[in-house]
C-alpha cells in the first residue's frame, strides 16, 4: 500500500512539476470566420452569430471557383484574394495566472493584424513568416472569456507571381511558460566539428526572466531514440527582466551521421531547473553532418563528394491550396524522395515549419529562401511595398526559427532579384547577408542570380555571398569558374520545361515556348490548353529536363541542380492565358500524378532498376508514334509491338537519357524489355484500351489516423473491361462519402480545369482523377468513398480511421 501511495505521490508531483513547465497547445479549433471587412470585429463585444465556424489551417482562396476576372489573374491562380476576419474565444485556467502566454502564428497570408480582448497586438505584412505575440498582460483568467481577433488583408492584387492562398493558412499555437524560460527561438545548436569518430556540439541558450533574479540549472541533453547520449548541466544566474546567455558544449563519440540517405536524428532537450523543480523544457532536432562547397569540385557532404539532386517547390498543396496539412506535404516529399531527389529549395519564401521537420526526418537538404524581391517590384502589390519596413525582422525571424534544422544547409537571400542590375543591389545584399550571419554564422549565404557577367552583377559585387547560385544560363556554365574565380557555384534553378500529364503531340521536335521575350505566350497552342509530355517543350529561358540535367551532370563544379519544379503549382501557367491557371513546369502534376519525365530522374538519381515506356497505345491505325523508354540498371531495351521486335536500343554514348523508336501504330500492345548481360531486368507493357467500362479506386493508404488531419489520397482511374486505363477518358466523376470522414479536395492535374478544387466532383483527365479524404477528430471507424460516373460501373473504397 505504501508503495502504491508513493507512486501516486510521484505521479502528482510529476503533474505539478509539468504544470509549471512550458505548454504548447494547438490552437486551431473553433475559429469563427467572416469573408469581408468588419472593422468592429476587433472589439471584445461583437456578435459573430452568422460567422462560419472552422478549424485552421484555412485558405479561403482555394474554396472559390477559378475566374478570369479575379485581379490575381491566372498568374496568381485565377482565385480571389480579399479581406477576412477570424475570431476565437477561449478561457484560461485561474491557476495559470503567474504564467507568461504567447500566441504563435506559423503564417498568415497576408498583412495580418491581431487583437486580444480588444487590445491591438501588432501587424505583420509578410505572408510567409512565423511570428508570435506575448498576450499575458491582456488575458482574463478563470471563467471570463478571452477573444483573439485577426484581420487578414490580401485584397491588393496582383501581389504575387504564383498562387499564395489567403488566410490563417498555417498552424496556430497558444504557448505558456514560466516566468523563467528559454526565449522564443532562444536555442542555437551548432556542430563546430563532425566526423565519424567524434562530434562537437555547442548549445547556446537565451534564458528570459520576467521574474526575480534567480540561480537556475540548465541541463542540455542529447538523446538518440529517447536514450540519453550526453548531457551538460550548468548553473547560471538568470537576471531579473533580462535575457541571460549561456553556452554549453558536448562531445558525442562515435556519432551516427545525418544525410539524406540516412537521416539519423538526435534530439537536444534543454531543461531549466529551479532547485529540483523543472521549470522549462524545449526540444530541438540535431543532425550531425558536415558539408562544404569547393569552387572546383562542387559540394561535399560528410566529406564525400555529393551531387545535389534538387527540386524547387512552391508552398501550395494542390487541391488543398496553401492550407498546411502535414500528410499532404509528406506525400509530396515522399513522391520526390522516390524519384531520387535529395534537396529542396523553398521557392521563393519562408516555408512552413513542417517542411523542415519533414526534411530533417525524411532526409532532404534544404535551401531556405527568404525573398523573391527586395525593393524593386515584380508585381504591383508584392512584398517590395513592405520590404523597407519589414525585411530585417522577417529575415531575422526566419533564420532564428530555422537554424537548428539539420536539413537546412544554406540561406538564400533572394531569387532573381532585380537589384542585381544596379548598385543598390550591392548595398542590400551586404545588409541581408550581415543579418543572416549575425544570427547564423555557420551556413553559406547564396542568392539565385541570372546575371553572369561579374561587373554587371551588383549582388555579386557585394562580396557578401558565399556560394553563387545561377538560374538557367546553361551555356555559360563553363565560363563561370573563370568569371567568378574562387567562388563555389550552384545551378540554383534549372529546366522550366512544360508538360501536361498524359498528353502526347506526335510532332516531337524541340520547341521553345514562348520562344523569346518578344513572343506572345500563346502562339500555336493546343485548343485544350495542354502541352505535350515528350520532354521537348520549354520556356526560352529554360530547356528540356534532359538537356538541363546533362549540362549539370557533366560539371561537378556546379554542385548539382534545383529543377523548376518538382510539382506543378497553382498560378504561373506559362505558356497559356486563362483558363490555364496552374503551372506546366512540374515533374509531377498538381494532383500528384507523375509525368513521364519523373522516370528519367528516377533512372538517373536512384539505384533502383527503372523501366518506363511512353506514350499510351491508343492511336489511329498507321500513325507514326514515337515510343520512348527511360531505363536504368540495364544495358539495353527491346521494343515489341504485338510481340514483334522493333529493335534493341541502348543509351549509346553515356550521355543519352532515353531510347526511342518510331513505329507505325497497330492496335494491341507495346512492350519494352530491359536486359543486363542478356538477362531480363524489367518488362513494361501498355495495351490498347477498349471503351471505358468502370472506375477503379486506389487509396494511397487504407488506414489513417482518426485525428481530423490525416488524409487518404484516392486515385480514380477509368478502365476498360480488362483493366487498361482509357487514356483519353474524361468522364465526370461524382464522389460521395459515408462514415466519419470528408472529401476535402479533388483534382485531375489538368491545368485548365475550372471546377473549384474543393468540389466533390471532378472530370477525369487522361483517365485519372484524385479525391482527398480526411478523417474526423476522435471518430474511429470505416470511411467509404464512392465514385460514380454516367455510363460507367461505379466503385467504392474503404478507408479505416484508426486511433
Ligand atoms: C524563374 C523564376 C521562377 C519561375 C520560373 C518559371 O525565372 O525564378 O520563380 O518564375 O522562372 O520558368
Amino acid at each position: 500500500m505504501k508503495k502504491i501511495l508513493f507512486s501516486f505521490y510521484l505521479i502528482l508531483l510529476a503533474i505539478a512539476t509539468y504544470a509549471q513547465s512550458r505548454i504548447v497547445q494547438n490552437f486551431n479549433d473553433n475559429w469563427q470566420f467572416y469573408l469581408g471587412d468588419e472593422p468592429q470585429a476587433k472589439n471584445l463585444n461583437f456578435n459573430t452569430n452568422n460567422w462560419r465556424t472552422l478549424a485552421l489551417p484555412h485558405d479561403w482562396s482555394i474554396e472559390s471557383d477559378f475566374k478570369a476576372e479575379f485581379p490575381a489573374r491566372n498568374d496568381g491562380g485565377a482565385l480571389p484574394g480579399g479581406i477576412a476576419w477570424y475570431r476565437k474565444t477561449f478561457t484560461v485556467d485561474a491557476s495559470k495566472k503567474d504564467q507568461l502566454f504567447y500566441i504563435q502564428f506559423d503564417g498568415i497570408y497576408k498583412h495580418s493584424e491581431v487583437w486580444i480582448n480588444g487590445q491591438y497586438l501588432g501587424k505583420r505584412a509578410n505572408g510567409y513568416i512565423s511570428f508570435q505575440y506575448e498576450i499575458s498582460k491582456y488575458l482574463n483568467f478563470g471563467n471570463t472569456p478571452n477573444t483573439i481577433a485577426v484581420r487578414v488583408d490580401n485584397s491588393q492584387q496582383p501581389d504575387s507571381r504564383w498562387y499564395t492562398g489567403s488566410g490563417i493558412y498555417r498552424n496556430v499555437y497558444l504557448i505558456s511558460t514560466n516566468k523563467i524560460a528559454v526565449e522564443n527561438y532562444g536555442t542555437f545548436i551548432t556542430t563546430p566539428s563532425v566526423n565519424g569518430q567524434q562530434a562537437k556540439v555547442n548549445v547556446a541558450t537565451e534564458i528570459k526572466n520576467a521574474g526575480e533574479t534567480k540561480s537556475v540549472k540548465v541541463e542540455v541533453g542529447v538523446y538518440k531514440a529517447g536514450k540519453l547520449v550526453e548531457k551538460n548541466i550548468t548553473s547560471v544566474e538568470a537576471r531579473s527582466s533580462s535575457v541571460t546567455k549561456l553556452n554549453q558544449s558536448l562531445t558525442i563519440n562515435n556519432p551516427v551521421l545525418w544525410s539524406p540517405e540516412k537521416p539519423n536524428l538526435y534530439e537536444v532537450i534543454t531543461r531549466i531547473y529551479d532547485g529540483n523543480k523543472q521549470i522549462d523544457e524545449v526540444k530541438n532536432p540535431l543532425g550531425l553532418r558536415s558539408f562544404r562547397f569547393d569552387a572546383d569540385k562542387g559540394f561535399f557532404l560528410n566529406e564525400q563528394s555529393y551531387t545535389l539532386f534538387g527540386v524547387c517547390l512552391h508552398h501550395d498543396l494542390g487541391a488543398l491550396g496553401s492550407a498546411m496539412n502535414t500528410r499532404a506535404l509528406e506525400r509530396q516529399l515522399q513522391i520526390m524522395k522516390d524519384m531520387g531527389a535529395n534537396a529542396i529549395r523553398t521557392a521563393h519564401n519562408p516555408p512552413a515549419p513542417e517542411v523542415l521537420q519533414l526534411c530533417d526526418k525524411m532526409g532532404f537538404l534544404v535551401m531556405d529562401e527568404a525573398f523573391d524581391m527586395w525593393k524593386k517590384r515584380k508585381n504591383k502589390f508584392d512584398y517590395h511595398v513592405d520590404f523597407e519596413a519589414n525585411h530585417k525582422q522577417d529575415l531575422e525571424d526566419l533564420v532564428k526559427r530555422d537554424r537548428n534544422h539539420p536539413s537546412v544547409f544554406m540561406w538564400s537571400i533572394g531569387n532573381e532579384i532585380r537589384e542585381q542590375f544596379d548598385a543598390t543591389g550591392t548595398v542590400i545584399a551586404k545588409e541581408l547577408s550581415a543579418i543572416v550571419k549575425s544570427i547564423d554564422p555557420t551556413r553559406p549565404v547564396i542568392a539565385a542570380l541570372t546575371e553572369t557577367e561579374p561587373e554587371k552583377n551588383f549582388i555579386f559585387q557585394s562580396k557578401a555571398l558565399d556560394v553563387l547560385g545561377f538560374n538557367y544560363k546553361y551555356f555559360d556554365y563553363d565560363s563561370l569558374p573563370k568569371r567568378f574565380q574562387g567562388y563555389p557555384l550552384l545551378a540554383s534553378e534549372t529546366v522550366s520545361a512544360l508538360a501536361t500529364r498524359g498528353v502526347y503531340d506526335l510532332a516531337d521536335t524541340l520547341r521553345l515556348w514562348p520562344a523569346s521575350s518578344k513572343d506572345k505566350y500563346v502562339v500555336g497552342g493546343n485548343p485544350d490548353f495542354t502541352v505535350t509530355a515528350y520532354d521537348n517543350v520549354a520556356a526560352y529561358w529554360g530547356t528540356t529536363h534532359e538537356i538541363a540535367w546533362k549540362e549539370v551532370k557533366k560539371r561537378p563544379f556546379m554542385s548539382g541542380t534545383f529543377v523548376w519544379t518538382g510539382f506543378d503549382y497553382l498560378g504561373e501557367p506559362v505558356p497559356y492565358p486563362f483558363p490555364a491557371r496552374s503551372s506546366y513546369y512540374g515533374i509531377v502534376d498538381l494532383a500528384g500524378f507523375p509525368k513521364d519525365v519523373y522516370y528519367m530522374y528516377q533512372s538517373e538519381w536512384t539505384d533502383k532498376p527503372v523501366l518506363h515506356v511512353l506514350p499510351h497505345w491508343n492511336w489511329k491505325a498507321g500513325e507514326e508514334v514515337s515510343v520512348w523508354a527511360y531505363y536504368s540498371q540495364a544495358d539495353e531495351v527491346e521494343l515489341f509491338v504485338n510481340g514483334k521486335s522493333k529493335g534493341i536500343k541502348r543509351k549509346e554514348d553515356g550521355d543519352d537519357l532515353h531510347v526511342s523508336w518510331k513505329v507505325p501504330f497497330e492496335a494491341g500492345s507495346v512492350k519494352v524489355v530491359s536486359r543486363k548481360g542478356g538477362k531480363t531486368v524489367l518488362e513494361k507493357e501498355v495495351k490498347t484500351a477498349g471503351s471505358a467500362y468502370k472506375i477503379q479506386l486506389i487509396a494511397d493508404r487504407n488506414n489513417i489516423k482518426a485525428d481530423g488531419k490525416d488524409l487518404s489520397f484516392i486515385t480514380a482511374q477509368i478502365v476498360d473491361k480488362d483493366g487498361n486505363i482509357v487514356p483519353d477518358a474524361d468522364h465526370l466523376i461524382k464522389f460521395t462519402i459515408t462514415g466519419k470522414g470528408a472529401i476535402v479536395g479533388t483534382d485531375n492535374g489538368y491545368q485548365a480545369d475550372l471546377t473549384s478544387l474543393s468540389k466533390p466532383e471532378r472530370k477525369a483527365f487522361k483517365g485519372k482523377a484524385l479525391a482527398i479524404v480526411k478523417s474526423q477528430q476522435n471518430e474511429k471507424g470505416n470511411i467509404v468513398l464512392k465514385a460514380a460516373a454516367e455510363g460507367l460501373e461505379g466503385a467504392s473504397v474503404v478507408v479505416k480511421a484508426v486511433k
Side-chain angles (χ1 to χ4, degrees):
M1 188 64 190
K2 253 189 192 165
K3 249 189 187 166
I4 295 173
L5 272 181
F6 183 66
S7 332
F8 186 62
Y9 167 76
L10 279 185
I11 291 168
L12 275 185
L13 191 74
I15 292 171
T17 312
Y18 180 71
Q20 296 295 316
S21 207
R22 174 181 304 254
I23 297 175
V24 179
Q25 187 191 332
N26 178 301
F27 213 52
N28 288 335
D29 288 340
N30 275 315
W31 285 78
Q32 295 199 282
F33 172 72
Y34 175 77
L35 185 54
D37 203 3
E38 195 58 271
Q40 300 309 317
K42 65 175 185 284
N43 298 330
L44 184 56
N45 296 316
F46 181 82
N47 188 339
T48 55
N49 279 349
N50 300 322
W51 288 27
R52 175 173 150 203
T53 302
L54 49 73
L56 304 176
H58 172 242
D59 169 8
W60 80 70
S61 302
I62 200 67
E63 296 171 353
S64 168
D65 283 327
F66 297 95
K67 287 188 186 147
E69 60 266 28
F70 288 134
R73 304 178 306 216
N74 69 336
D75 291 337
L79 287 167
I83 296 177
W85 284 81
Y86 295 83
R87 277 171 64 104
K88 178 179 167 102
T89 296
F90 62 102
T91 55
V92 183
D93 205 274
S95 67
K96 304 229 170 112
K97 261 203 156 105
D98 288 336
Q99 301 272 295
L100 302 179
F101 281 82
Y102 305 85
I103 180 128
Q104 179 180 310
F105 295 94
D106 284 350
I108 302 179
Y109 207 92
K110 67 173 200 176
H111 283 180
S112 67
E113 290 176 276
V114 185
W115 291 261
I116 173 109
N117 297 332
Q119 298 283 335
Y120 189 60
L121 292 172
K123 175 171 185 163
R124 285 308 282 256
N126 189 316
Y128 297 107
I129 208 73
S130 300
F131 57 94
Q132 59 169 241
Y133 295 112
E134 189 182 344
I135 55 175
S136 327
K137 64 173 180 243
Y138 308 116
L139 277 185
N140 301 313
F141 293 87
N143 294 332
T144 318
N146 298 282
T147 299
I148 296 254
V150 181
R151 181 179 188 268
V152 184
D153 186 347
N154 189 22
S155 61
Q156 290 189 303
Q157 301 280 340
D159 93 316
S160 176
R161 301 190 297 113
W162 58 86
Y163 174 77
T164 62
S166 313
I168 309 182
Y169 71 105
R170 290 181 182 164
N171 288 298
V172 182
Y173 300 93
L174 183 69
I175 300 169
S176 61
T177 72
N178 209 302
K179 289 223 162 74
I180 299 181
V182 176
E183 176 73 303
N184 182 35
Y185 309 140
T187 308
F188 183 28
I189 304 166
T190 50
T191 49
S193 72
V194 173
N195 58 49
Q197 287 73 52
Q198 207 176 64
K200 297 261 185 224
V201 178
N202 190 65
V203 182
T205 309
E206 293 179 359
I207 300 153
K208 176 178 172 168
N209 185 357
E212 286 154 25
T213 298
K214 204 171 232 177
S215 175
V216 294
K217 264 189 312 198
V218 180
E219 177 192 292
V220 167
V222 172
Y223 293 80
K224 178 103 199 97
K227 275 205 190 124
L228 182 69
V229 177
E230 201 53 62
K231 81 176 163 188
N232 175 307
I233 303 177
T234 303
S235 292
V236 68
E237 191 174 78
R239 271 157 290 122
S240 171
S241 308
S242 58
V243 174
T244 304
K245 294 186 181 174
L246 178 69
N247 267 312
Q248 287 160 284
S249 294
L250 303 96
T251 302
I252 314 284
N253 290 317
N254 305 313
V256 200
L257 302 190
W258 183 97
S259 67
E261 294 67 39
K262 293 196 172 139
N264 294 304
L265 285 176
Y266 291 81
E267 187 171 45
V268 172
I269 305 184
T270 306
R271 296 189 177 99
I272 305 183
Y273 291 93
D274 174 4
N276 288 325
K277 195 165 87 182
Q278 182 187 313
I279 55 170
D280 196 16
E281 179 180 286
V282 171
K283 294 180 176 177
N284 277 289
L286 170 67
L288 300 171
R289 81 282 184 274
S290 68
F291 65 88
R292 63 186 166 87
F293 284 87
D294 181 286
D296 302 318
K297 299 192 188 119
F299 183 67
F300 287 77
L301 180 67
N302 296 326
E303 287 307 320
Q304 308 276 320
S305 167
Y306 193 92
T307 308
L308 295 163
F309 301 145
V311 290
C312 301
L313 290 179
H314 270 314
H315 69 302
D316 77 59
L317 298 169
L320 304 178
S322 55
M324 179 58 216
N325 177 286
T326 308
R327 172 56 200 159
L329 183 65
E330 182 186 52
R331 170 181 178 254
Q332 276 196 344
L333 293 173
Q334 191 60 53
I335 292 171
M336 291 295 104
K337 187 97 199 164
D338 292 345
M339 179 177 81
N342 60 24
I344 305 288
R345 172 176 179 223
T346 68
H348 304 293
N349 46 260
E354 290 79 2
V355 172
L356 304 179
Q357 288 156 13
L358 285 170
C359 287
D360 290 347
K361 215 166 72 180
M362 297 172 74
F364 288 98
L365 290 156
V366 177
M367 185 201 300
D368 202 335
E369 191 154 76
F371 304 119
D372 189 46
M373 77 292 297
W374 297 344
K375 282 190 200 169
K376 292 196 171 147
R377 66 186 243 189
K378 290 185 178 172
N379 257 304
K380 190 166 178 200
F381 296 110
D382 63 29
Y383 184 74
H384 84 279
V385 176
D386 301 307
F387 183 85
E388 185 64 41
N390 294 275
H391 68 275
K392 183 165 186 285
Q393 181 167 17
D394 289 341
L395 188 56
E396 282 176 1
D397 285 353
L398 171 70
V399 179
K400 277 189 190 159
R401 188 196 70 175
D402 293 350
R403 62 189 172 171
N404 291 330
H405 287 284
S407 55
V408 174
F409 78 128
M410 55 196 331
W411 305 107
S412 164
I413 55 172
N415 172 59
E416 298 187 358
I417 296 295
R418 292 181 55 198
E419 282 89 340
Q420 76 187 296
F421 306 110
D422 69 71
T424 62
T426 307
V427 180
I428 302 176
K430 270 189 190 155
E431 187 207 346
L432 298 182
S433 178
I435 292 172
V436 171
K437 300 216 173 228
S438 72
I439 293 164
D440 175 15
T442 70
R443 291 176 178 87
V445 171
I446 187 175
L449 308 166
T450 51
E451 177 53 69
T452 52
E453 289 190 40
E455 59 286 356
K456 290 192 190 157
N457 188 325
F458 291 89
I459 294 183
F460 163 71
Q461 290 189 19
S462 70
K463 306 266 181 279
L465 300 179
D466 304 298
V467 177
L468 306 180
F470 284 97
N471 289 4
Y472 309 96
K473 310 284 176 190
Y474 319 94
F475 308 107
D476 290 336
Y477 283 174
D478 279 335
S479 67
L480 296 178
K482 285 166 235 145
R483 294 192 208 175
F484 299 95
Q485 255 183 35
Y487 274 89
L489 301 166
L490 174 62
S492 43
E493 192 176 312
T494 57
V495 186
S496 278
L498 308 169
T500 302
R501 172 189 54 83
V503 171
Y504 306 97
D505 297 347
L506 291 181
D508 61 353
T509 46
L510 186 75
R511 175 173 188 189
L512 292 183
W513 189 16
S516 78
S517 58
K518 289 181 206 94
D519 232 38
K520 278 253 175 332
Y521 282 1
V522 233
V523 186
N526 290 340
D528 61 354
F529 301 90
T530 57
V531 177
T532 181
Y534 276 113
D535 189 21
N536 55 13
V537 184
Y540 70 85
W541 53 90
T543 185
T544 65
H545 291 275
E546 289 197 9
I547 294 174
W549 172 232
K550 281 182 207 172
E551 295 303 325
V552 174
K553 187 182 172 182
K554 53 186 172 227
R555 295 182 178 86
F557 65 81
M558 288 310 295
S559 306
T561 186
F562 282 85
V563 177
W564 191 266
T565 45
F567 268 70
D568 275 342
Y569 50 94
L570 287 159
E572 211 180 27
V574 172
Y576 286 115
F578 188 86
R581 46 60 172 173
S582 52
S583 82
Y584 293 76
Y585 295 118
I587 299 169
V588 174
D589 77 12
L590 195 70
F593 303 135
K595 301 177 189 173
D596 297 290
V597 80
Y598 181 90
Y599 301 96
M600 185 280 282
Y601 287 109
Q602 199 175 50
S603 72
E604 285 286 293
W605 290 0
T606 75
D607 291 333
K608 45 190 162 197
V610 171
L611 180 62
H612 177 76
V613 62
L614 61 144
H616 58 72
W617 208 236
N618 278 56
W619 300 93
K620 292 195 196 106
E623 244 171 345
E624 276 265 304
V625 183
S626 268
V627 177
W628 287 35
Y630 296 118
Y631 73 93
S632 63
Q633 313 292 330
D635 329 307
E636 60 182 36
V637 178
E638 187 164 6
L639 174 72
F640 299 89
V641 174
N642 292 334
K644 276 174 285 180
S645 175
K646 298 287 171 184
I648 294 173
K649 300 259 173 151
R650 296 162 206 268
K651 296 192 261 191
E652 291 301 345
D653 54 4
D655 198 29
D656 289 347
L657 297 174
H658 74 273
V659 287
S660 68
W661 300 258
K662 275 226 163 137
V663 290
F665 174 70
E666 273 172 44
S669 107
V670 65
K671 182 168 148 184
V672 282
V673 178
S674 64
R675 294 192 201 94
K676 194 178 180 112
K679 277 204 191 126
T680 299
V681 179
L682 287 169
E683 295 188 0
K684 282 281 152 73
E685 185 173 28
V686 181
K687 290 186 178 160
T688 307
S691 50
Y693 177 72
K694 64 173 182 187
I695 306 174
Q696 271 177 355
L697 290 179
I698 305 156
D700 72 334
R701 292 184 314 152
N702 289 94
N703 284 306
I704 61 175
K705 277 184 241 133
D707 60 1
K709 295 180 207 145
D710 206 2
L711 304 173
S712 184
F713 286 82
I714 299 167
T715 301
Q717 314 192 134
I718 297 184
V719 297
D720 69 4
K721 268 208 156 114
D722 301 319
N724 301 303
I725 296 185
V726 180
D728 59 349
D730 60 356
H731 300 68
L732 176 66
I733 304 177
K734 298 199 167 171
F735 296 101
T736 50
I737 200 160
T738 51
K740 303 294 184 186
I743 301 166
V744 289
T746 60
D747 195 1
N748 56 20
Y750 176 36
Q751 290 102 343
D753 187 318
L754 293 184
T755 305
S756 163
L757 292 168
S758 50
K759 252 203 172 156
E761 58 179 54
R762 182 74 34 199
K763 279 182 89 170
F765 181 73
K766 304 296 163 196
K768 284 189 179 187
L770 175 80
I772 309 172
V773 167
K774 194 193 242 181
S775 66
Q776 289 171 3
Q777 210 172 346
N778 299 323
E779 300 279 5
K780 284 180 287 173
N782 284 353
I783 304 169
V784 182
L785 181 81
K786 287 201 171 119
E790 232 177 86
L792 298 181
E793 193 177 284
S796 71
V797 66
V798 180
V799 175
K800 270 198 181 125
V802 296
K803 224 182 161 186

